[in-house]
Structures are given as C-alpha cells and as structure tokens.
Amino acid sequence: TATILYALGDPLRAATADFKNDGTDIDWDNRAGDHHDGMEWFGLSSTGTPSVTAVDRGLLAVNHEATTDETRASFFIHADGGTATLPRPAAEIDKELAIHGISVVEVKKTGSSWAYVKDSAFNFRVTQNTEIELSGPLRGNALAITKFSPTGTSTRGTLNNCGTGKTPWGSFLTGEENWFGYFFRAGNDDTVRGNDKSVIALKRYGRAAGAASRHGWESGGADDRFMRWNNSKSGVSVDGSDDYRNEMNAQGYIVEFDPYTKTKKGVKRSYLGRFAHESAAFGKPVAGQPLAVYMGDDARNEYIYKFVSAANWAEADANPSDRIATGSKYLDQGKLYVAKFNADGSGQWVELSMSNTAVRDYAGYPFADQADICVNTRLAGDAVGATKMDRPEWCSVNPKNGEVYFALTNNSNRRVEPAAGGSQLAPDSANPRVYTDIKGASSSQVGNPNGHILRLKEGTGGNTATTFTWDIYVFAAEASAATGTVNLSNLTGDQDMSSPDGLVFSPSTGICWIQTDDGAYTDVTNCMMLAALPGQVGDGAKKTLSYSRSTGGALTVDTYVGKTPAANELKRFLVGPKDCEITGVAETPDGKALFINIQHPGEGTAMANIGDPAKYTSQWPSNAGYGAGKRPRSATIVITKNDGDVIGR
Ligand code: FEO
Ligand code: CA
Ligand code: CA
C-alpha cells in the first residue's frame, strides 16, 4: 500500500493555515518545500530522544531541490503562474527562496497507518535565508569573504539539494547540486575582475560572464537577500567584503545538519570538495581506522571523489551529545581524492593537495592552498587527469561486502569520433557505450542515453586504499535494444530502465533500490524504482566493444560486465505518475516502512495552462485523494506491506 504522507505546502506548525494549493498560500517558511529529493530517517524513542532502533516514530530530513518553472517563474506556487520578465516581484521571489532548501518533519505510525505530525516541535525548515556556517579549509579563507560575512566564516542557505547521507554519528548530510545556475553575472564581469584567476574558476563551474540566472532572484530589489544572487564584482574593495563576487564559493558543498536540534546551525563541510554534489556514502566504519566518504559530481564528463578522515573512528562517537562537533572531528581534516579508472579493471584514488605536484604546478589554474583546491575541485581533478564519467549520480555502499556503487545516469557527450575542440569524449572502459536510441516516432538520442551502474572494490587498506578494482554492475537499456552492444546486461521487460539516478542500499534487507530520473525512455514508461540484489565486482566477464571509425580503423574498448541479473535479482518495484522523477528513499530500521519521494509530477505542464487543470500533464497527488486543488505537488509517500512484513521478504 502506498500512502501519501507529506507534500509541497503542507504546514509544519499548528498556526500555519492548511494548504489551499491555488497559488495564494503564504507563510512558506513553515511549509514543506518543493521538489522533494534525497531523504534520510532519524528515529525517535517514545519520549522523543534520538533512537537507532525506533520503528514507529522518527524524523524525515528531506531535500527540496528545486521548483517546477518556466522562464524563471515557479508557476504552480503563484496564483497566475508568476512573472516571467525581469525585474521579478519581491513577493514571488520570497516564496521561491523559501521553497528551496531542506525540511525536517516528524512522522509517526498509529495502528498501521503513517502520518506526518503537523505541530511537532522537531519540525523545521532551512531556506535560502537561513544562516549556515562554513568549515574546513574554506572557513576564514579569502575565497569566502562576502558582504554578509567579511570574515569568510558563514553564508546563507543550502541550494539545489539532491542526494543525502547519514553519518555514523547520526547527523544528516545534504548535497548541493546545480547551484551555479541560480547566480547572475554581468556581461563585463571578466574585465571588471581584471581577468584574474576567478574568471577561470567561474567558467569551469558554468558561469561565463553574461550568464542569466534561473529565476532572476537578483532582480527583486536593493535588499541584500536579492543582491547576493548577483555574482558580479560591483564593489571597490580588494577582498570582496562589499559585494557578492565570492558568493558562489560558498555554494556546492556537502552540508551537515543535526536533524534533532533545529537551533543548531548547519555546516558546509568544504573539505569534501565543491561540485555538483549528489549523495555522500560512508564506507563501513572500522574502529581505530579513518572513515571514507564517497561522492559523485553530476555533470557530463565530471568525476568521482573520496574523502578520507584524518581522525580514526571511535565507536563512542556513534551517539554523541553534540553531532555537529563530532562532524567537525571527522569531516574538517583529511584527504580528498579523485578516481582514475584503468582499462584493465583497476583504478587509483589520486590525492588532491598541494603535495601532489600535478596539482601544485598545474598550468591551467594557479592553486594557492588547500582551500583553493576544495573550492575549485573540478580544476584539481583536471590537473591530475581524472576519468571523466557519464554523470556520476548517487552512490551507496553494499552492506554485505562494502563495495561502492555509483549510478552514472547518462551522457549525451559521448561520441565514437568526438567533434574537435568540443566537450564530447570517446568511450572508455568505465564509460564504454556509444549508441543511438530512438525516442517516440523518430527523435534520436546519441551517446549513452540510458546510463549504467559502476561498482568498485577497495584494495589494501579498505577505507584508506589508494587502489581499487571495478566493473559495471548493470547497463541500463531498453529490453528490445541489441544485446551485444547496448543491452549488455540482457535486461528483460520486467527489469529494463533508463537513467538510474537515486541509488540506496537498504541497511536492513541489503536490497539496492534504484530510482530513475529519465527523459530517454519516457515515450514508453514513466520514471520508476527497481529492487536489486547485486553480486560482487568480478562476477561477470570482460567484454570488448568495437566501434567503426571514418579514420584510424576500429576503436576497441574493453569493459567489465557484471553477471546478468536473474529475474529475481533485479525487478521493477513501482512506476510513478506522469512527468515525475522517483527519488529519495529511506526506511524504518525493521525494513517495514519505505519512504519515497515523487518529485515534480506534471512538470511538463505549460505555464500558459495554469488556469486549466484539465491541461496539467498530471494532477497527482490530488487525483490520488490527497489535498486541496488540482495543481500537482511533489510529495513523500510511504509504502508498507499489507501483511505488515518486511518489504522485499
Ligand atoms: Fe539531482 Fe543529478 O540528480
Ligand atoms: Ca527508445
Ligand atoms: Ca536526482
């Protein structure tokens, strides 16, 4: 049974009015945000203390990644769809600043039914106006100085939060993904900056001069909460303390929150690097040894990373009195590595520090110190020749054997013969497929439109290993695609999928939940969630793919394909409503309740049709009996088995 639990606009305190869902709602700081994404469970005992064993009462920490928009306006939350032209009204922007961020909400089981607790004292929101601390190498560094924080020690908000993580000490981690698109840069900003090295960094992170912002938040007026979205150099100071030229340097991190304590400020853990973060997955903690955190950078041809703590894990820290202080112990000192995948099935973790001469002497960007490396992580990855991947999405660690799984969602920039000077890359062993898929009647999609899931097994040293072996657990494909070249995992119609994105191993059942955020196979199916019981690295075979070229003869690529999943080892579990992404999965420790997020149902609706619900591409969840109005809403659902047993048993 799937029950809708917690949707966009739901009130988080008794004093907030019920959601009308007609674009006139106010008090957004006290409502569920939009585009529910990654999510973690934090148990509560019957007396309201943190509990790792509680199964009927807990907190869900939920990412609110983005909003359904067209030409700047978040049209489902404004009565008339909102203003698409600049400048945008402050009142619209204030709503949009509030619906991004995270929420923490109490959920409770009464009898056999789950509901969220509207008036729980635990509930809280983090919006774009919430103050957040900076920690690690960035804290106090010149790169972090802004008008808001002349000492470079804090910022506001956490933005475009996608994947999540749960620390071994019981705190919540959230990854900031496509944050750069929210900032405006003036057309003459390169010149105003004197074409200094910040220009190289801004371009590498997708903000060329003249870049328009996604929502035009910088246009709301002279108040600082709008001005900060203008990333141009506009002040006269040398250090940036009179403008927001450095504001983007405080975005793009893994951010830690204590979900049990709403009065504790969140902390951006800069040592884990700055990029389009997804999830943060811990290697199995071993007492007396460092911790490892695995992470992906979701953009075409970006990298996979690992952070290794300087501190050794102490079991006494599993239930600390101060979770944020414990986070500082493990996440503010250590080593940051980037992955290189070799054609023979081996790989290396390459350290990104000033002691690595490839980083220190990089001709493409003059790094000043570790803070500069942590802020401009992508440039450091470039410096060491890391492997450019097919969009690293969420990662998770298999509790059975400690192997690390990465969803590589798709890549439209793979070509057998890449165009000269562009961003296309030839296939390699870890990203071996280039093919053409047909969508609908004739639309052709070239590259790796369906994605794959890679896994790696650490070598000697476990969490601290600098070498590993790897293979591809599964190649996503349509069942009807050619088995020798595209459907390399021989998927059937009960297993086929496209664009794996969310990926989370259940700690209780060991099931690997795979969720899709797809646009390639949506001519046939909506996005979905699958259940997998994978084997291990090396359980399949080497496969050599051969591509013909116009010059230079055939291109051959060796790859390593995991064992073909049997029918009972990989199965479709659910399919979502139209135009949604399935994302976020958390469960109670007994595996009997599974919380899942349905993001942006109906996002294909044209803004011009806001007044005509019949023209919405989806009316979910109102068509499933939840809430007022017909405007579609992102929502958390809970799935239980009708016999009350463990899901997947
Ligand atoms: Fe927010 Fe890359 O998925
Ligand atoms: Ca197709
Ligand atoms: Ca996603």
Side-chain angles (χ1 to χ4, degrees):
T1 294
T3 308
I4 295 148
L5 196 63
Y6 175 62
L8 165 73
D10 278 342
L12 285 168
R13 58 173 191 171
T16 297
D18 285 348
F19 192 55
K20 296 196 293 287
N21 195 20
D22 59 2
T24 66
D25 295 280
I26 57 169
D27 198 11
W28 279 96
D29 287 352
N30 295 299
R31 297 184 181 280
D34 205 354
H35 281 210
H36 300 39
D37 205 321
M39 174 169 56
E40 301 286 344
W41 161 272
F42 297 91
L44 280 173
S45 70
S46 55
T47 56
T49 55
S51 166
V52 293
T53 54
V55 295
D56 53 9
R57 184 184 179 195
L59 304 174
L60 290 175
V62 182
N63 282 346
H64 297 291
E65 185 183 32
T67 180
T68 302
D69 55 343
E70 185 182 308
T71 328
R72 304 187 185 96
S74 170
F75 58 91
F76 283 126
I77 64 156
H78 304 308
D80 61 356
T83 305
T85 50
L86 296 175
R88 297 197 57 222
E92 287 184 13
I93 296 171
D94 280 333
K95 280 194 205 179
E96 294 172 9
L97 294 173
I99 62 175
H100 291 72
I102 65 165
S103 61
V104 171
V105 58
E106 183 179 341
V107 295
K108 201 173 177 177
K109 189 165 95 170
T110 309
S112 62
S113 47
W114 284 90
Y116 91 93
V117 184
K118 177 178 164 180
D119 57 353
S120 169
F122 287 102
N123 294 349
F124 69 96
R125 281 294 320 279
V126 173
T127 74
Q128 299 320 301
N129 296 322
T130 309
E131 188 172 353
I132 313 266
E133 293 288 320
L134 303 177
S135 78
L138 181 62
R139 185 174 179 85
N141 187 274
L143 292 170
I145 292 173
T146 62
K147 192 175 169 189
F148 179 75
S149 182
T151 55
T153 52
S154 71
T155 186
R156 281 164 289 182
T158 179
L159 184 56
N160 210 266
N161 305 74
C162 182
T164 55
K166 194 172 177 174
T167 65
W169 54 96
S171 64
F172 176 62
L173 299 181
T174 176
E176 300 178 325
E177 190 186 4
N178 292 312
W179 40 274
F180 42 88
Y182 292 76
F183 291 89
F184 166 80
R185 270 189 81 209
N188 64 351
D189 192 44
D190 287 359
T191 313
V192 175
R193 287 173 184 261
N195 279 296
D196 65 9
K197 73 176 197 175
S198 73
V199 172
I200 301 170
L202 286 160
K203 286 181 178 161
R204 181 66 179 84
Y205 280 83
R207 285 290 92 182
S213 66
R214 179 169 174 177
H215 296 288
W217 288 343
E218 75 286 351
S219 73
D223 191 275
D224 200 64
R225 72 185 188 280
F226 307 124
M227 295 304 291
R228 64 179 286 225
W229 301 102
N230 183 343
N231 195 215
S232 313
K233 180 179 178 182
S234 58
V236 296
S237 68
V238 174
D239 62 4
S241 57
D242 57 351
D243 62 16
Y244 288 100
R245 78 188 73 154
N246 292 326
E247 181 74 353
M248 263 181 40
N249 292 339
Q251 309 292 334
Y253 296 101
I254 292 292
V255 193
E256 182 178 18
F257 290 91
D258 179 349
Y260 296 107
T261 316
K262 62 185 177 188
T263 51
K264 270 261 193 238
K265 271 187 218 159
V267 181
K268 302 208 178 192
R269 299 292 180 195
S270 67
Y271 223 134
L272 278 62
R274 174 173 164 267
F275 41 89
H277 273 286
E278 296 283 349
S279 64
F282 281 80
K284 193 174 154 48
V286 180
Q289 292 181 25
L291 296 173
V293 187
Y294 300 91
M295 301 167 288
D297 180 357
D298 180 17
R300 291 186 286 268
N301 305 327
E302 291 298 346
Y303 307 124
I304 283 173
Y305 298 91
K306 171 170 88 162
F307 172 81
V308 177
S309 67
N312 293 325
W313 175 242
E315 292 287 356
D317 287 330
N319 191 16
S321 56
D322 187 335
R323 287 172 197 81
I324 295 296
T326 308
S328 299
K329 172 180 172 182
Y330 291 105
L331 300 178
D332 284 350
Q333 294 96 33
K335 287 180 176 175
L336 182 63
Y337 297 88
V338 68
K340 261 189 191 180
F341 295 87
N342 304 322
D344 64 358
S346 68
Q348 282 94 38
W349 293 111
V350 182
E351 189 183 344
L352 301 178
S353 76
M354 294 300 275
S355 61
N356 182 337
T357 53
V359 176
R360 191 191 65 205
D361 303 335
Y362 182 45
Y365 180 86
F367 288 102
D369 50 24
Q370 187 65 38
D372 207 354
I373 292 168
C374 289
V375 169
N376 294 299
T377 318
R378 286 178 172 174
L379 287 161
D382 296 345
V384 302
T387 304
K388 296 176 184 297
M389 309 299 290
D390 285 352
R391 293 187 53 198
E393 277 279 356
W394 297 19
C395 56
S396 189
V397 173
N398 186 343
K400 210 163 68 183
N401 57 19
E403 294 179 359
V404 192
Y405 282 62
F406 277 89
L408 298 163
T409 192
N410 57 57
N411 190 352
S412 56
N413 277 351
R414 290 272 168 205
R415 291 293 186 283
V416 175
E417 295 176 290
S423 52
Q424 295 173 352
L425 290 175
D428 61 28
S429 290
N431 306 276
R433 285 188 307 174
V434 173
Y435 52 99
T436 300
D437 174 73
I438 303 300
K439 184 179 178 187
S442 58
S443 162
S444 63
Q445 317 179 97
V446 188
N448 176 14
N450 302 130
H452 54 286
I453 298 174
L454 176 146
R455 61 188 168 189
L456 63 87
K457 179 188 173 71
E458 292 282 26
T460 310
N463 286 338
T464 63
T466 53
T467 59
F468 56 83
T469 52
W470 62 271
D471 71 3
I472 309 290
Y473 158 55
V474 68
F475 285 93
E478 297 178 22
S480 60
T483 50
T485 53
V486 181
N487 186 9
L488 293 170
S489 297
N490 298 306
L491 301 184
T492 68
D494 295 328
Q495 305 165 315
D496 66 346
M497 64 175 127
S498 177
S499 302
D501 183 326
L503 187 149
V504 176
F505 276 92
S506 158
S508 62
T509 59
I511 291 173
C512 178
W513 297 108
I514 301 167
Q515 305 175 308
T516 70
D517 176 12
D518 182 42
Y521 199 18
T522 44
D523 51 332
V524 174
T525 176
N526 295 343
C527 287
M528 64 182 73
M529 177 157 143
L530 302 100
L533 290 170
Q536 62 196 43
V537 170
D539 64 8
K542 179 172 162 178
K543 166 90 184 168
T544 302
L545 298 171
S546 182
Y547 296 103
S548 58
R549 291 186 291 195
S550 55
T551 56
L555 171 70
T556 58
V557 179
D558 289 341
T559 192
Y560 304 88
V561 188
K563 180 172 82 74
T564 294
N568 62 358
E569 291 170 338
L570 177 63
K571 273 182 142 163
R572 189 168 299 113
F573 178 73
L574 65 78
V575 176
K578 174 98 169 152
D579 288 345
C580 83
E581 165 185 350
I582 304 292
T583 183
V585 51
E587 65 176 19
T588 51
D590 59 2
K592 292 181 177 179
L594 196 56
F595 304 94
I596 296 163
N597 283 326
I598 309 296
Q599 188 186 95
H600 63 63
E603 76 160 351
T605 302
M607 182 170 158
N609 291 331
I610 189 72
D612 186 355
K615 290 185 176 155
Y616 300 169
T617 62
S618 172
Q619 296 179 353
W620 191 91
S622 70
N623 66 352
Y626 187 89
K630 292 188 185 297
R631 296 182 180 201
R633 300 159 72 185
S634 297
T636 303
I637 64 171
V638 58
I639 292 185
T640 48
K641 264 183 94 174
N642 291 350
D643 62 6
D645 206 347
V646 176
I647 293 165
R649 180 177 288 169

